[in-house]
Amino acid sequence: MTRVVPSTVQVRRATRPLSGTVEVPSDKSLSHRAVLFGALAEGVTHASGVLDSADVRSTIEAVSALGAVVTVAAGRRGLDVTVEGWGPRGPVAPDGPIDCGNSGTTVRLLAGILAGWPLSVELRGDASLSARPMGRIAHPLVAMGAQVITTDGHLPVTIAGGVLRPIDYASPVASAQVKSAVLLAGLRAQGRTSVTEPTLSRDHTERLLPAFGVDVLVAHDACRASVEGPAVLSATDVTVPADPSSAAFPVIAALLVRGSEVHLPGVCVNPTRTGFLRVLERMGADVHEARRRSVGGEPVADLVARHGAALRPVTVNASEVPALVDEVPILAVAACMAEGVSRFEGVGELRVKESDRLEATVYALSALGAEVRAGEDWLEVRGPARLRGAQLSSLGDHRLAMAWAVAGLAAEGITTIEGFDAVCVSYPGFLDDLAALGADL
Ligand code: S3P
């Protein structure tokens, strides 16, 4: 990555409309999976449009340390990546611990992959990742027969894999990372491995495994997915569309700044990811999808977001949260502009993301002058707020850095964001894209 992103950024209130087209970066969840599944597969996988960000680089380095041969070149959009997988030979023992950086998807999916091989591998991460719960993957993988030694339920984690038994796992959390870890381990067990979740989480693993020649049985109504093991993946070609979670920031920026119109081509609109669009629609926002099509088994559309009528407050139910789990802080920014109380129910999972995003949202939006409260698993915003610029920190969390920058466009005066370079985790070009739309930074 060549882009230099400043660690402190100042955002001024937008005095003119945001307008233009933003090619938001490629989907992070799909980029991880394209590289990881390519590493498991026999043959050479070509993945185009892979996200060029710190998180995906962690996955590329991890699979390379385990014996996959990866080449990376700049593509028209993101990276063109080839992965020569280890296939049925399996991964090789790495030279030392594998550093997963800030990436929960890397560490949790890799744990599931390693569970089925006779190696002992230590997985580590940065301070944020080391504070996140790993018991949620250790528990089912141990039940399948792997040895998973955590550090009080956290990283570092050592996985000593081996012969696995299939499992019918009722996950207590709706988490695509947990579901994927168990299904990937299930590929090495003899028989059917199933995962049932309380609410359906993003289903990229279920959609992408068939492209690698592995059948996945899905019962979406029952929030259940199963694989039949043992199964070996076959290399394939994958194209990664743009990331809806990254698109949420320019979309909501357009809704907050008078006269704006922003176009975002080729965004993944998988319904397990686009809960934020449904919520914005209930708020009365002018956001439209055009040219719906399919790219690599994922629905894709061009989005157009326009500033329009005043936003209405909204209630988000717990069952909607998995489909917008990464978008709650930026939706809370939008809720500041709606007249009345917006409430997000069942958002406790936000406390164990890259930061405690509930506490962080209360801290930052209160500092900007909004009325915000949170409980253990709910968040409430009373609008409309008259936001005033403030000195904020990203707390090292990429999505917070971007949410505070968008709030700054609607705040009087100057909003300063420290630790802004956290955006490199998922959207290194965010600042350039905002500036290209006309924001004053
Ligand atoms: C992800 C799943 C979500 C999400 C994360 C990426 C994935 O986490 O928050 O940004 O790629 O599977 P959980 O599965 O823990 O909710």
Side-chain angles (χ1 to χ4, degrees), residues 119-203:
L119 300 173
S120 176
V121 179
E122 185 182 317
L123 302 175
R124 299 188 165 190
D126 69 7
S128 151
L129 190 56
S130 301
R132 298 179 65 184
M134 295 299 147
R136 55 179 59 194
I137 43 139
H139 178 68
L141 297 178
V142 166
M144 294 178 82
Q147 245 192 61
V148 183
I149 301 159
T150 70
T151 310
D152 278 337
H154 296 89
L155 295 181
V157 167
T158 301
I159 318 242
V163 178
L164 298 181
R165 11 175 210 283
I167 188 178
D168 189 347
Y169 188 58
S171 176
V173 278
S175 160
Q177 293 177 353
V178 172
K179 171 173 62 180
S180 302
V182 175
L183 292 177
L184 291 171
L187 300 176
R188 293 282 298 157
Q190 183 82 44
R192 178 171 296 187
T193 292
S194 301
V195 182
T196 307
E197 316 180 81
T199 314
L200 186 65
S201 66
R202 63 191 66 190
D203 62 353

Side-chain angles (χ1 to χ4, degrees), residues 142-411:
V142 166
M144 294 178 82
Q147 245 192 61
V148 183
I149 301 159
T150 70
T151 310
D152 278 337
H154 296 89
L155 295 181
V157 167
T158 301
I159 318 242
V163 178
L164 298 181
R165 11 175 210 283
I167 188 178
D168 189 347
Y169 188 58
S171 176
V173 278
S175 160
Q177 293 177 353
V178 172
K179 171 173 62 180
S180 302
V182 175
L183 292 177
L184 291 171
L187 300 176
R188 293 282 298 157
Q190 183 82 44
R192 178 171 296 187
T193 292
S194 301
V195 182
T196 307
E197 316 180 81
T199 314
L200 186 65
S201 66
R202 63 191 66 190
D203 62 353
H204 300 305
T205 293
E206 297 93 303
R207 286 173 185 260
L208 192 56
L209 277 177
F212 284 85
V214 172
D215 288 336
V216 183
L217 216 69
V218 288
H220 272 175
D221 295 351
C223 304
R224 187 174 168 81
S226 314
V227 292
E228 207 69 52
V232 177
L233 281 65
S234 310
T236 189
D237 291 354
V238 183
T239 302
V240 181
D243 194 322
S245 296
S246 296
F249 299 101
V251 162
I252 290 176
L255 301 179
L256 300 190
V257 178
R258 189 174 293 280
S260 297
E261 176 169 326
V262 173
H263 293 244
L264 306 102
V267 179
C268 175
V269 287
N270 177 326
T272 63
R273 297 292 301 283
T274 50
F276 78 99
L277 291 176
R278 296 188 284 276
V279 167
L280 290 175
E281 193 181 326
R282 298 211 296 274
M283 295 177 83
D286 186 354
V287 185
H288 287 100
E289 284 180 22
R291 284 206 322 125
R292 233 181 200 267
R293 55 221 187 255
S294 170
V295 175
E298 293 281 347
V300 166
D302 301 339
L303 301 182
V304 184
R306 292 189 191 91
H307 179 266
L311 294 178
R312 295 190 287 270
V314 73
T315 298
V316 175
N317 299 315
S319 62
E320 298 179 84
V321 171
L324 49 75
V325 67
D326 292 334
E327 285 69 67
V328 173
I330 187 63
L331 282 171
V333 171
C336 287
M337 299 302 141
E339 188 170 346
V341 176
S342 292
R343 191 172 161 93
F344 301 80
E345 302 274 4
V347 287
E349 271 294 293
L350 268 79
R351 295 199 179 275
V352 291
K353 293 294 180 187
E354 286 83 330
S355 66
D356 178 340
R357 288 182 176 160
L358 286 189
E359 196 180 311
T361 300
V362 173
Y363 135 78
L365 297 186
S366 306
L368 290 167
E371 242 186 90
V372 194
R373 302 187 308 142
E376 202 36 48
D377 76 343
W378 57 266
L379 178 74
E380 227 174 60
V381 181
R382 181 184 291 276
R386 213 184 142 133
L387 301 182
R388 296 176 263 73
Q391 180 124 3
L392 303 175
S393 166
S394 73
L395 304 170
D397 184 329
H398 55 131
R399 300 204 196 277
L400 299 186
M402 293 185 273
W404 307 163
V406 172
L409 295 174

